[in-house]
Amino acid sequence: MLSIRNLDVEFHSDQSRVHAVKGISYELSEGQTLGIVGESGSGKSVSSLSILKLLPSTARVSGEVFWKGTDLIKETEAAMRLVRGAQIGYIFQNPLSALNPVFTVANQMVETICLHSDATKEEALEEAIELLDKVKIENPRKRIHDYPHQFSLGMCQRIMIAMTLSMKPDLLIADEPTASLDVTTQKEILELMDSLKEEYQMSMILISHDLGVVAERCDEVAVMYLGEIVEMGTPKDIFGSPKEAYTKILIDAIPKIRF
Amino acid sequence: MTGKVWFSFIYLGGLTVLALLVPFFNFDPTQIDESLIGRPQAPSFAHWFGTDELGRDILLRSIYGSRISLMVGFVSVGISICIGVIVGVLSGFIGGRVDFLVMRVLDTLMALPTLFLILIIQVMLEPSIFNVMVVIGVTSWMGVARLVRAEVLSMKERVFVTACRARGIVERKILFKHIVPHTLNPIIVAAMLGMGGAILIESVLSFLGLGVQPPHASWGNMLENSLGYLRDAPWMALIPGVLITLTVLSLNFLGDGLWLLLDPKARERDVIHT
Ligand SMILES: Nc1ncnc2c1ncn2[C@@H]1O[C@H](COP(=O)(O)OP(=O)(O)O)[C@@H](O)[C@H]1O
Ligand SMILES: [Mg+2]
């Protein structure tokens, strides 16, 4: 369904060049979950944002991103707009900063729903309330008219998930969706995403710097280091017999409790 | 908010109310008292601010003058904000070469001595209050454009703009719905500061006889009238002088106060997390 070949991203500025992604390739088939792990700055976000062509104009992207048979790298902005959200949803690391602070949640959700369907504003509002209920926001009929800063970070991420799901994407890219949350909220959000993935039958790219998060729920794991995929395989392979020294370091970094 | 800001707020509020209400009373600021021509009267109970060289009441003329000043402030700032916002928003959003070119043109325009430009235009055109407002507006929008552009540029980097794009929202809507409202705060502040500047320029022009023409009252031409009477009737110069100073200072204090009030949240910038 998604096939990435030799994806390469370089940032050009007057002073410097940053080679953020160095020719990576991977495949993702329908219904599968791919995990991308790697330390901060290894190119996880940049490579995923370039699938949707969301990088700033300083980025030079080359390679191929085949999505349902077409190469997105060659697509026009107008064509990309039909892919963004409706086919591929993106969830950002910091949910509060991903929402516009000057509009209510209702406003932003209704805008999104109306954009991708023929629903009237009233119908869209009803749908948004149902979705908020589904992601377990309490009293959604009232809370939906609040502003983003009136919600906790965990709740903001639930809202972002609801908003992304309202577009019924076939693929969900979750870019460190829980990295800015505390441990218990992290667990709740991940469980919520697991169940919604089942319900909506989506494929998923789950990005994390925590191999532990990824190992439990992915069919395949790609380990990124300095812009390259250094190792790729099933979680069992990766954990059982890591080939790369870097992967071993990541495995050792998973907290273990000993009594 | 500090005392300065409160004072400015109350002073400007009071001035605006007086300026708006005065035409509803049956006072004529151009009415000449024949018996007092050439003998300005000091402030008294009959004339709180005294009278001028034609026996006209200075309090009344001051209030009518404030109508001119405030109108010039509002209209010319309105014009400069319209132009500045359009140029700033487009330049910042389009970015790249267009932005570079626009910024160089702005630099050039800003390097021109505005006051002299206005003087030349006013000499060539027929001096009228309408011309004053248009000329001030058309020559003072560059600061607004810079400010708005800077805000648009910083908003473009915010995660929620990328998030909007990731939802397939059209660029035009992202710009006008999601980015432009964020430029409102700097615009309000720039408007306050710009009004002070415009009022000052209007006073200068009227003082030089290139602005509001007699017998209509403006603070600038009241100052000009006072020139022959500086020794005998200093209040004729003092009152419009103090009013100009207070008004311009108040607008600046209010602008600064609003800046602090509106700013802290706007400064909480967050760029995409990596
Ligand atoms: N807009 C940008 N301009 C220049 N360099 C960038 C930009 N965005 C990211 N980078 C660089 O690209 C590299 C990869 O970043 P990223 O993909 O965000 O890492 P992460 O794996 O933590 O998500 C980093 O070195 C980062 O500094
Ligand atoms: Mg990242």
Side-chain angles (χ1 to χ4, degrees), chain B residues 213-236:
Chain B
Q213 300 297 305
H216 299 295
S218 107
W219 294 342
N221 69 23
M222 287 167 72
L223 264 182
E224 188 206 358
N225 290 344
S226 76
L227 283 184
Y229 301 86
L230 280 183
R231 190 143 34 137
D232 301 328
W235 58 90
M236 275 177 66

Side-chain angles (χ1 to χ4, degrees), chain A residues 230-250:
Chain A
V230 291
E231 186 163 1
M232 195 156 168
T234 62
K236 213 171 137 215
D237 293 341
I238 299 259
F239 272 93
S241 51
K243 293 183 188 64
E244 289 289 325
Y246 180 67
T247 312
K248 290 182 190 128
I249 295 172
L250 279 184

